[in-house]
């Protein structure tokens, strides 16, 4: 509630709308955040343990108890009866349970400060309000102070490499290494102790290792900036080897996979994934056998290796901070990170989509519903103009398909058309078209999709559709430019691909120049009707 109070002058309209709805439907009062925060400050500090326990005793009684059982409808699963469940509660109520003993580790996050490194190079990019610092250990720091939110600072850090540099035999250990690190805690603190120490602070720091990058991301309130930097340092330098955390992660993944395999959509998604990757070993769906290949010691070694050298790391910070406050934190905690001057890039692991027309049908489930997805792939000349045009063409086709499949034919609730492009490890593109429908209408609607693609290639779009595309982009752009998350993602994308930040302002010029001819040429170029994957999900009885 304190964060809501701090952001009271920048509250989003949806928050107010939700309050009005609850007031109308449930008579929930709307005193305003200022009044609610005053109540919070008045009553929460004087709450006692006895009051909480007394309330629990008054609310949780035998005569108002409802026991619900949720179980899979599966052969061999025994569902306990009413008497069995009641017996469990009665047996538990007779036990003498010792009060919970809180094992709080009362010590600072860091025993001592790391050796700082100075800023050796600085430049200012005025047109986007960005400062760029280079530290003596090679770390690059990108700063964009904003006033979009009062109580938010976001950050992301990355370095090229990722688990693409891990052997195929160690792939599972590499993929799970950052997950295990997050679960184990850092330094002297396990995860529970760390969470208790951070009680009352608004801060989040999390490592990740993807195929081509390793990095750290997170956020904090401005008053918790130093805690955030301390956690960054611990995350980078002090992971824990924790067998209990390993077993916990493995157990949760096992349960997740069991539930996932029960969904008909899983077989559909897995079929699409392995088909597009031509059954590459690193794109195989996970199973119980996959979890057996997890290796705590190997994951620990991979994590330490990926985060051993920060000389090629870039850190980006966006939000409510000022340079004078953040500079000593940057020099101390980021400047103190280890540097080995390694030169690394992500490795091409060889995943490629198939050529030609590949069509597959998956039969799972009993419900009368289907999923259809087309994926067109191919080589791509990677530049800003081509990325913009292919995305705009996808938006135009989405409008045309929504009109045809949903509004004219009434065959689906919605249609997705998404374009994605990649520069590393190879320059390529992917265009995906997806929709759900009745099994009896799969062929009809699939044919209509191809009709609309043909129309786009032959005639382009009319001015009305072009205007809709541009207007949607304009509205989204206005909103995005006032969001910290947008700026963080854009700056990260630019620095990963070696693009100058000023390029962000070129978008308006491209949007102004976009023509129906551009969309038509993009459709002709990227929709190769002799090269696509089509996967359909049907019920088992079809």
């Amino acid at each position: 509630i304190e964060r809501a109070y701090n952001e009271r002058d920048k509250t989003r309209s949806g928050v107010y709308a939700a309050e009005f709805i609850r007031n109308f439907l449930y008579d929930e009062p709307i005193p305003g955040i200022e009044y609610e925060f005053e109540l919070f400050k008045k009553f929460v500090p004087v709450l006692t343990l006895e009051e909480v326990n007394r309330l629990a005793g008054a609310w949780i009684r035998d005569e108002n108890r409802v026991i619900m059982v949720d179980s899979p409808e599966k052969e061999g699963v025994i569902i306990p009866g009413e008497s069995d469940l009641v017996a469990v509660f009665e047996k538990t109520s007779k036990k003498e349970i010792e009060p919970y003993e809180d094992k709080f580790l009362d010590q600072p996050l860091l025993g001592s400060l790391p050796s700082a490194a100075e800023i050796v190079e600085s430049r200012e990019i005025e047109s986007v309000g960005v400062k760029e610092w280079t530290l003596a250990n090679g770390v690059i720091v990108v700063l964009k102070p904003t006033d979009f939110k009062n109580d938010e600072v976001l950050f992301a850090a990355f370095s090229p490499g990722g688990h693409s540099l891990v052997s195929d035999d160690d792939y599972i250990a590499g993929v799970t290494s950052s997950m295990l690190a997050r679960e184990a805690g850092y330094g002297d603190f396990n995860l529970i102790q760390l969470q208790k120490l951070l009680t009352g602070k608004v801060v989040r720091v999390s490592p990740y290792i993807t195929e081509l990058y390793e990095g750290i991301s997170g956020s904090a309130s401005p008053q918790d900036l130093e805690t955030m930097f301390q956690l960054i340092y611990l995350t980078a330098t002090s992971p824990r080897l924790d067998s209990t955390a390993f077993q916990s992660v493995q157990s949760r993944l096992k349960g997740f996979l069991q539930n996932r395999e029960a969904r008909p959509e899983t077989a559909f998604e897995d079929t699409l994934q392995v088909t597009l990757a031509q059954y590459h070993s690193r794109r195989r769906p996970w199973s119980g056998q996959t979890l057996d290949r997890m290796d705590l010691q190997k994951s620990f070694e991979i994590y330490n290796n990926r985060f051993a050298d920060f000389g090629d790391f870039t850190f980006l910070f966006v939000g409510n901070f000022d340079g004078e406050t953040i500079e000593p934190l940057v020099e101390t905690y980021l400047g103190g990170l280890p540097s080995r001057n390694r030169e690394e890039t992500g490795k091409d692991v060889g995943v490629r989509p198939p050529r030609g027309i590949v069509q597959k049908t998956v039969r799972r489930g009993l419900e009368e519903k289907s999923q259809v997805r087309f994926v067109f792939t191919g080589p791509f000349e990677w530049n800003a103009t081509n990325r913009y045009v292919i995305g705009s063409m996808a938006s135009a086709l989405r409008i045309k398909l929504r009109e045809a499949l949903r509004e004219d034919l009434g065959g689906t609730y919605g249609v997705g058309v998404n374009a994605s492009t990649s520069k590393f490890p190879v320059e390529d593109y992917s265009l995906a078209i997806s929709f759900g429908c009745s099994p009896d209408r799969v062929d009809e609607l699939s044919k209509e999709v191809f009709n609309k693609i043909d129309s786009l290639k032959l005639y382009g779009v009319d001015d009305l559709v072009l205007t809709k595309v541009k207007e949607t982009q304009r509205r989204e752009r206005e909103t995005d430019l006032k969001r910290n998350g947008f700026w963080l993602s854009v700056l990260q994308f630019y620095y990963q691909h070696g693009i100058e930040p000023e390029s962000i302002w070129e978008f308006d010029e491209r949007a102004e120049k976009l023509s129906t001819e551009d969309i038509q040429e993009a459709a002709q170029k990227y929709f190769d009707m002799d090269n696509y994957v089509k996967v359909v999900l049907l019920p088992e009885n079809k």
Side-chain angles (χ1 to χ4, degrees):
I1 192 168
E2 185 174 352
R3 293 198 74 187
Y5 175 79
N6 290 337
E7 300 289 357
R8 62 192 182 279
D9 60 333
K10 294 180 172 66
T11 303
R12 300 175 73 89
S13 300
V15 175
Y16 290 118
E19 281 200 281
F20 296 148
I21 291 171
R22 293 195 301 272
N23 174 261
F24 180 79
L25 294 176
Y26 311 113
D27 276 339
E28 179 182 304
I30 311 178
I33 188 61
E34 290 87 353
Y35 185 81
E36 290 185 47
F37 188 51
E38 288 303 317
L39 291 179
F40 179 86
K41 291 191 295 181
K42 180 178 179 180
F43 291 112
V44 171
V46 298
L47 284 176
T48 65
L49 179 61
E50 290 75 17
E51 287 178 303
V52 174
N53 287 337
R54 185 167 62 250
L55 187 64
W59 283 2
I60 304 174
R61 308 186 308 274
D62 293 347
E63 60 268 24
N64 71 348
R65 181 172 63 203
V66 176
I67 303 173
M68 298 182 67
V69 178
D70 187 5
S71 172
E73 190 176 6
K74 186 177 179 181
E75 186 178 347
V77 176
I78 300 174
I79 301 175
E82 180 179 343
S83 59
D84 299 320
L85 294 167
V86 172
V88 172
F89 277 79
E90 290 179 348
K91 182 180 179 181
T92 304
S93 66
K94 295 175 182 177
K95 282 188 175 182
E96 288 291 333
I97 301 175
E98 294 292 326
Y100 175 72
E101 184 179 347
D102 193 1
K103 297 179 180 179
F104 180 75
L105 190 59
D106 188 14
Q107 67 181 59
L109 275 172
L110 296 179
S112 59
L113 295 179
S115 300
E118 294 182 350
I119 299 169
V120 296
E121 187 176 338
S122 176
R123 73 166 178 144
E124 190 162 351
I125 309 171
E126 294 183 3
S127 64
V128 286
V130 165
K131 288 184 178 180
E132 181 185 303
W133 295 338
T134 302
L135 304 181
N137 61 349
V139 171
I140 295 174
V141 181
V142 181
L143 306 164
K144 179 170 175 58
T146 72
D147 58 1
F148 305 146
K149 300 195 78 173
N150 300 324
D151 205 34
E152 181 179 80
V153 177
L154 306 180
F155 87 92
F158 68 89
S159 166
H163 53 65
S164 66
L165 302 183
V166 173
S167 69
D168 288 346
D169 290 340
D170 294 333
Y171 171 68
I172 300 302
V175 169
T176 56
S177 59
S178 58
M179 186 189 311
L180 293 171
R182 291 193 296 268
E183 190 70 21
Y186 305 98
D188 295 332
F189 300 87
N190 62 34
L191 183 60
I192 301 299
Q193 293 168 334
L194 189 60
Q195 290 171 342
K196 290 177 180 177
L197 185 70
L198 298 176
T199 299
K201 295 181 181 294
V202 181
V203 61
R204 178 185 62 84
V205 173
S206 181
Y208 66 87
I209 300 178
T210 62
E211 185 159 276
L212 297 176
Y213 295 95
E214 59 270 354
I216 308 171
S217 64
S219 62
S221 288
Q223 62 266 29
D224 296 320
L225 270 185
E226 183 160 16
T227 301
M228 183 182 77
F229 275 92
Q230 291 175 343
L231 285 171
I232 291 172
Y233 185 81
L234 277 178
T235 300
T237 62
S238 302
R240 291 166 56 91
L241 192 66
D242 191 326
S243 58
T244 302
F246 176 81
Q247 293 170 0
S248 174
V249 170
Q250 203 171 37
S251 176
R252 288 205 307 273
L253 286 175
K254 182 178 180 181
F256 168 77
L257 290 176
Q258 287 175 341
N259 291 330
R260 182 178 183 272
E261 290 167 1
R263 298 172 57 248
E265 293 80 6
T266 296
F268 171 75
E269 293 160 1
D270 288 349
T271 299
L272 186 68
Q273 177 175 301
V274 297
T275 301
L276 287 171
Q278 299 191 79
Y279 294 86
H280 192 284
S281 62
R282 296 194 180 210
R283 297 295 187 269
R284 292 173 185 166
W286 282 35
S287 64
Q289 290 73 28
T290 305
L291 301 184
D292 294 336
R293 294 169 57 195
M294 290 178 65
D295 186 323
L296 175 59
Q297 183 62 48
K298 179 58 67 174
S299 288
F300 188 70
E301 293 172 2
I302 291 171
Y303 185 94
N304 281 327
N305 177 270
R306 290 295 81 223
F307 291 97
D309 179 16
F310 281 80
D312 61 351
F313 258 78
T314 299
F315 282 81
L316 306 106
F317 296 88
V318 178
N320 186 18
F321 61 84
D322 62 76
E324 290 184 5
T325 301
I326 207 169
E327 182 174 341
L329 301 176
V330 166
E331 291 182 326
T332 299
Y333 297 106
L334 303 189
L337 292 170
S339 177
R340 297 184 180 178
N341 297 316
R342 295 190 306 198
E343 294 186 7
E344 292 181 325
T345 58
K347 176 185 173 184
D348 182 359
V349 299
V351 177
R352 298 290 187 276
R355 298 294 300 170
I357 299 173
V358 181
Q359 302 189 66
K360 294 187 177 182
T361 300
V362 179
R363 291 178 170 82
R364 290 288 192 282
L366 302 176
E367 290 188 64
E368 287 293 305
K369 63 179 184 179
S370 291
Q371 291 287 330
V372 182
R373 190 168 303 169
F374 297 88
V375 182
F376 296 80
T377 58
F380 185 74
E381 186 180 351
W382 199 90
N383 60 52
T385 299
N386 287 345
R387 294 198 310 274
Y388 171 72
V389 171
I390 193 174
S392 299
M393 185 270 290
S395 297
L397 181 60
R398 189 183 308 118
I399 292 171
K400 299 295 291 182
L401 289 178
R402 188 182 299 123
E403 292 173 349
L405 272 62
R406 185 180 72 179
E407 297 172 14
D408 296 341
L409 297 176
T412 183
Y413 287 112
V415 184
V417 182
N418 297 290
S420 61
T421 64
S422 176
K423 184 176 183 181
F424 307 115
V426 295
E427 296 185 358
D428 60 12
Y429 74 90
S430 172
L431 274 166
I433 303 171
S434 58
F435 59 90
C437 64
S438 166
D440 298 329
R441 304 195 68 179
V442 167
D443 292 340
E444 172 198 359
L445 298 183
S446 296
K447 182 179 179 180
E448 186 62 22
V449 167
F450 276 29
N451 287 340
K452 292 305 176 187
I453 292 175
D454 286 342
S455 174
L456 199 63
K457 295 170 73 171
L458 289 171
Y459 309 111
V461 294
D462 56 32
D463 290 339
L464 180 60
V465 172
L466 182 66
T467 300
K468 286 182 179 179
V469 170
K470 290 186 176 184
E471 183 62 22
T472 300
Q473 292 175 348
R474 185 189 65 79
R475 289 198 305 267
E476 291 177 351
R477 186 73 166 179
E478 286 179 356
T479 303
D480 285 343
L481 288 173
K482 297 177 182 179
R483 291 194 306 111
N484 290 327
F486 169 78
W487 279 100
L488 183 67
S489 63
V490 166
L491 289 172
Q492 182 170 353
F493 178 84
Y494 284 177
Y495 275 86
Q496 284 178 342
H497 292 86
I499 303 172
E500 282 296 320
E502 298 100 322
S503 300
I504 192 170
W505 304 125
E506 297 172 3
F507 180 90
D508 294 336
E509 183 180 351
R510 291 193 186 92
E512 183 66 29
K513 291 181 178 179
L514 182 68
S515 66
T516 57
E517 290 77 17
D518 293 331
I519 290 176
Q520 181 180 2
E521 290 174 6
Q524 294 170 349
K525 186 174 185 179
Y526 300 121
F527 280 117
D528 182 353
M529 308 314 289
D530 294 320
N531 184 63
Y532 64 86
V533 170
K534 177 186 178 184
V535 179
V536 178
L537 172 66
L538 293 174
E540 293 175 10
N541 60 354
K542 286 290 180 183

